Amino acid sequence: MNINMTLVGQLIAFAIFVWFCMKFVWPPITGAMDARQKKIAEGLDAAGRAEQDLKLAQEKASQTLRESKQTAAEILEKANKTANEIVEEAKQQARAEGERLIASAKTEIELEVSRVKEELRSQVSALAVTGAEKILESSIDSKAHNKLVEQLAAQL
């Protein structure tokens, strides 16, 4: 009978221990476990949101980079086009200036040639008059024969 009383005493002590644990120990442990579970769930949600935000930020950064590269390419293209236009304009101005200088030089040469021809004509006519004087051994009146000299000059 001692075994039965001991068994009943142990059963009563165990029941009191279980009741004590259920009343005072178990609620704080389950509360701490629930709080910890909530913290873990919130941390996982925050990590998921952070991952999505990171993906969005990376996509936005890559899109901004693409737009920047495209804008830079457009700016370079415009700069090259403007540079080519400036070079072509300078070439055209240089050609026009060269043509103007050539035309001016041609005009100047023509004027010089005309002046030299006139000078040559006057010298030839003077020589012709001098030659005629020597041939005739008489002095020819230049006023009287001025018309003749002009005709000779025109023929030369």
Side-chain angles (χ1 to χ4, degrees):
M1 293 222 202
N2 282 342
I3 295 179
N4 285 338
M5 277 307 227
T6 306
L7 190 59
V8 172
Q10 286 179 353
L11 186 63
I12 292 173
F14 184 71
I16 291 173
F17 176 72
V18 169
W19 174 80
F20 179 77
C21 283
M22 294 289 280
K23 186 78 174 170
F24 297 107
V25 177
W26 193 256
I29 290 175
T30 57
M33 285 181 12
D34 288 340
R36 179 75 177 151
Q37 189 177 13
K38 279 185 179 179
K39 272 187 175 179
I40 290 171
E42 288 174 0
L44 290 174
D45 288 343
R49 284 191 306 268
E51 188 176 337
Q52 288 177 348
D53 290 344
L54 178 63
K55 284 181 183 177
L56 289 174
Q58 286 175 342
E59 288 175 6
K60 188 174 182 180
S62 64
Q63 181 181 1
T64 304
L65 182 63
R66 274 185 262 125
E67 289 173 357
S68 298
K69 285 182 180 179
Q70 184 179 9
T71 304
E74 289 173 0
I75 289 171
L76 283 174
E77 184 179 331
K78 286 180 183 177
N80 287 335
K81 185 178 179 182
T82 304
N84 288 337
E85 288 174 357
I86 290 171
V87 167
E88 285 300 318
E89 185 178 327
K91 284 181 183 178
Q92 289 176 354
Q93 287 177 351
R95 282 187 197 115
E97 182 68 17
E99 289 173 1
R100 186 189 62 78
L101 289 174
I102 289 171
S104 173
K106 284 181 180 179
T107 305
E108 190 175 320
I109 288 170
E110 288 174 3
L111 289 174
E112 186 67 23
V113 165
S114 296
R115 187 188 60 79
V116 168
K117 282 182 181 179
E118 286 299 319
E119 187 177 315
L120 186 60
R121 282 182 189 154
S122 66
Q123 288 177 2
V124 166
S125 40
L127 285 174
V129 168
T130 306
E133 281 181 357
K134 286 186 179 183
I135 290 174
L136 296 174
E137 293 185 10
S138 63
S139 176
I140 297 177
D141 185 16
S142 62
K143 289 181 183 178
H145 300 290
N146 197 12
K147 190 175 181 180
L148 181 63
V149 171
E150 286 179 11
Q151 286 177 354
L152 271 173
Q155 286 177 357
L156 293 174

